[in-house]
Amino acid sequence: MRFDKIIANGTVVNADKTQQADVAIRGEKIAAVGKNLAAKAKASGNGVQIINAKGCYVIPGGVDVHVHLALPFCGTTSSDDYDSGTKAAARGGVTTVIDFAIPYGKDTLQKAVVNWHAKSDGIACVDYAYHIAITNWQRQKQELPKMIDQGITTFKQFMIYAAEGWQSDDADMFQALEALKDLNGMLMVHAESSRVLDELIDRRHNPKDMKKYGAYLHTMTRPNFIEAEAIQRAVQWAEATGGKLYVVHMSTGDGADIIKNARDRGAKNVFAETCAQYLVLDDSLFAKKDGHLYATCPQLKKPSDQARLWKGIKRGEVCAISTDTCSFTRKQKAMWKGDWTKIPMGMPGLETLLPIVYTHGVLANRLSLKQFVDKCCYTPAKIMGLGHRKGAVKKGMDADIAIIHPKKKIKVDWRKMETNADWSPFQGWDLAGFSRTTLCRGNVIVDDYKFCGKNGWGQFLPRKSPGRI
Ligand code: URP
Ligand code: ZN
Ligand code: ZN
């Protein structure tokens, strides 16, 4: 068979296996993985392009299943859009992103999908799919089958964000889980307990406390039980209905305990992800100068939560690591003017997902190489219904690949990054695991750590089901 490109001499790492092998690509697909493919192709003289990966790991492109690009939120719009956001993804070795299409005001789900296609089509540099947020169950429930027909099989409900007009209540969640069970969809939930959270915020929302504690109030008003109680409730509804539940951006050890207990008693329809920032950053940052920059929702927690989440990743109750990328510039973050409830919430993350998990997971002996690939590439693809084409370096899969050097560290500096955020939560950190070469569907989009792809290469990925793990 004629090949177009061969990635030669690398160590191919999949979630189930590590091997010394070449990877041959034809068009947009992986055509073969095996020994000496480059030597054989050169001997037959057919002008194949050789990409040398000697001394490097050849891993599947990262699959970040939780991003917000150009999201209108907190009175502004998140700064990374489908241009800068997907360039950042590529440079970080992420070749698939899944964003949340969110209806505004009285919008239908269909209107949200149209809006999100307008933001992404012809612009994205890596492949993309959407989840869709159900912001008004009664009005939007009849649209679910139509969404699934368009390849959107995963839905999100928020247990908070009444001010954004996004909040769902228990009855909405219960009914969505029931309906999605019948339709073979999956419900993703932002789990925070809104009534108690609002009460805790009210108690502190006064000039004296704001002056005294500043951005640290973000953490003071969101103790762990705010997330834990909400996860517990969502899990209860999932167990009662049998609907598939995926808890997004889980930030607490308490949450990991609840998911583990549920799965141990047989609730295999319950899943949870965490995000890279919850594994390496803690809430002491809010007390520092510029601490407000780190405000995200849910907020960073304690080192003990980090340790519990790493354990959950290794053991299985945390099935995927995403970023919840929702970038805001310093100017946007400055909108808080000393009131923590007005900080645009979220941070950049796409460019540093694989480097953070590789450096602080694999190099810190918390995860094996295969587990790293499992949590950042294979399982996220699989659980979101993309496992037939993404998340593995195997024959027949999309040629989505990141080549990473095992040790070479790069100092994080937002000035040299593709994100348009003018700060980074990891500024000055030395991280290995940046992608030297990224391929998306066979096309080289990062070469020598620099983005070289083009707008519009990324394709929308319709899905048939949420998949299984
Ligand atoms: O603060 C965050 N995470 N912003 C994005 C919206 C969400 O809740 O995921
Ligand atoms: Zn959320
Ligand atoms: Zn999010």
Side-chain angles (χ1 to χ4, degrees), residues 34 51 84 101 119 208 359 415 447:
I51 299 171
S84 65
K119 293 180 208 241
K208 193 167 153 241
T359 307
R415 294 173 201 86
D447 183 29

Side-chain angles (χ1 to χ4, degrees), residues 66 68 156 158 161 189-191 248-249 297-298 324:
H66 189 151
H68 303 278
K156 182 173 182 185
F158 298 90
Y161 297 144
V189 166
H190 176 133
V248 297
H249 51 44
C297 183
D324 195 8

Side-chain angles (χ1 to χ4, degrees), residues 112-401:
V113 173
V114 169
N115 286 345
W116 253 258
H117 275 298
K119 293 180 208 241
S120 51
D121 297 357
I123 297 166
C125 304
V126 301
D127 286 353
Y128 57 98
Y130 311 137
H131 316 286
I132 187 142
I134 302 168
T135 51
N136 185 313
W137 172 252
Q138 288 308 330
R139 262 198 298 110
Q140 295 161 345
K141 63 183 174 186
Q142 72 280 2
E143 289 188 85
L144 266 47
K146 201 162 107 189
M147 294 298 111
I148 290 175
D149 286 349
Q150 290 169 72
I152 303 172
T153 54
T154 45
F155 298 80
K156 182 173 182 185
Q157 286 179 329
F158 298 90
M159 294 169 80
I160 62 162
Y161 297 144
E164 302 284 344
W166 297 352
Q167 189 175 18
S168 294
D169 66 16
D170 286 355
D172 299 334
M173 256 195 303
F174 189 87
Q175 292 176 81
L177 282 160
E178 281 180 328
L180 290 171
K181 184 181 176 201
D182 291 343
L183 292 166
N184 191 20
M186 179 164 77
L187 184 66
M188 307 169 76
V189 166
H190 176 133
E192 288 189 293
S193 200
S194 76
R195 298 290 290 270
V196 178
L197 173 60
D198 288 346
E199 168 60 24
L200 297 184
I201 289 174
D202 277 353
R203 288 181 192 181
R204 295 288 188 180
H205 203 206
N206 58 70
K208 193 167 153 241
D209 280 335
M210 288 199 279
K211 188 155 185 266
K212 186 164 175 197
Y213 300 111
Y216 198 70
L217 283 166
H218 190 37
T219 203
M220 288 168 70
T221 51
R222 275 182 147 88
N224 280 20
F225 59 73
I226 292 293
E227 180 177 89
E229 186 278 335
I231 292 180
Q232 184 64 66
R233 204 156 15 109
V235 165
Q236 183 77 63
W237 305 145
E239 287 192 75
T241 58
K244 207 182 241 188
L245 171 75
Y246 180 96
V247 175
V248 297
H249 51 44
M250 186 168 69
S251 62
T252 56
D254 311 58
D257 289 343
I258 292 166
I259 300 293
K260 177 161 188 337
N261 290 341
R263 292 184 60 82
D264 283 354
R265 62 177 178 262
K268 301 294 187 215
N269 54 329
V270 169
F271 307 92
E273 68 173 16
T274 191
C275 305
Q277 58 272 25
Y278 300 123
L279 297 170
V280 293
L281 300 176
D282 69 68
D283 64 8
S284 61
L285 285 163
F286 296 118
K288 295 196 166 153
K289 183 173 173 284
D290 284 346
H292 68 289
L293 294 177
Y294 297 84
T296 188
C297 183
Q299 93 284 16
L300 305 170
K301 300 293 194 305
K302 309 278 181 218
S304 54
D305 294 295
Q306 295 174 1
R308 178 64 186 84
L309 291 167
W310 280 114
K311 190 166 156 192
I313 290 168
K314 206 166 169 95
R315 229 167 30 185
E317 58 267 24
V318 180
C319 73
I321 309 174
S322 66
T323 63
D324 195 8
T325 290
C326 190
S327 315
F328 294 104
T329 62
R330 282 176 172 274
K331 189 168 173 209
Q332 289 175 301
K333 289 276 186 181
M335 288 164 59
W336 82 305
K337 296 198 175 80
D339 177 349
W340 90 101
T341 65
K342 297 200 166 52
I343 311 174
M345 284 186 292
M347 50 174 95
L350 268 163
E351 210 154 345
T352 45
L353 170 64
L354 297 184
I356 287 286
V357 181
Y358 179 75
T359 307
H360 291 270
V362 179
L363 295 187
N365 292 321
R366 290 184 173 112
L367 294 182
S368 69
L369 259 179
K370 288 190 289 189
Q371 286 167 332
F372 161 61
V373 167
D374 181 17
K375 300 298 173 174
C376 295
C377 316
Y378 179 74
T379 295
K382 207 151 178 244
I383 196 167
M384 295 303 165
L386 293 169
H388 58 293
R389 57 185 293 192
K390 306 288 186 188
V393 181
K394 299 218 165 139
K395 184 175 172 184
M397 303 293 281
D398 284 1
D400 284 8
I401 287 167

Side-chain angles (χ1 to χ4, degrees), residues 3-8 10 12 22-32 48-53 56-63 86-97 125-128 354 377 389-394 397-404 434-454 457-459 461:
F3 302 132
D4 299 319
K5 298 183 181 87
I6 296 181
I7 300 172
V12 175
D22 295 348
V23 180
I25 296 164
R26 191 181 157 111
E28 300 188 358
K29 296 282 182 190
I30 295 173
V48 62
Q49 181 190 346
I50 305 288
I51 299 171
N52 190 5
C56 291
Y57 297 129
V58 178
I59 69 167
V63 179
T86 59
K87 286 176 180 163
R91 185 163 171 270
V94 170
T95 51
T96 304
V97 296
C125 304
V126 301
D127 286 353
Y128 57 98
L354 297 184
C377 316
R389 57 185 293 192
K390 306 288 186 188
V393 181
K394 299 218 165 139
M397 303 293 281
D398 284 1
D400 284 8
I401 287 167
I403 302 178
I404 63 174
F434 277 100
S435 184
R436 186 204 78 185
T437 312
T438 308
L439 290 91
C440 177
R441 295 193 338 277
N443 192 25
V444 176
I445 59 171
V446 168
D447 183 29
D448 194 18
Y449 300 97
K450 287 182 218 51
F451 177 75
C452 62
K454 60 176 196 296
W457 177 257
Q459 279 183 357
L461 303 169

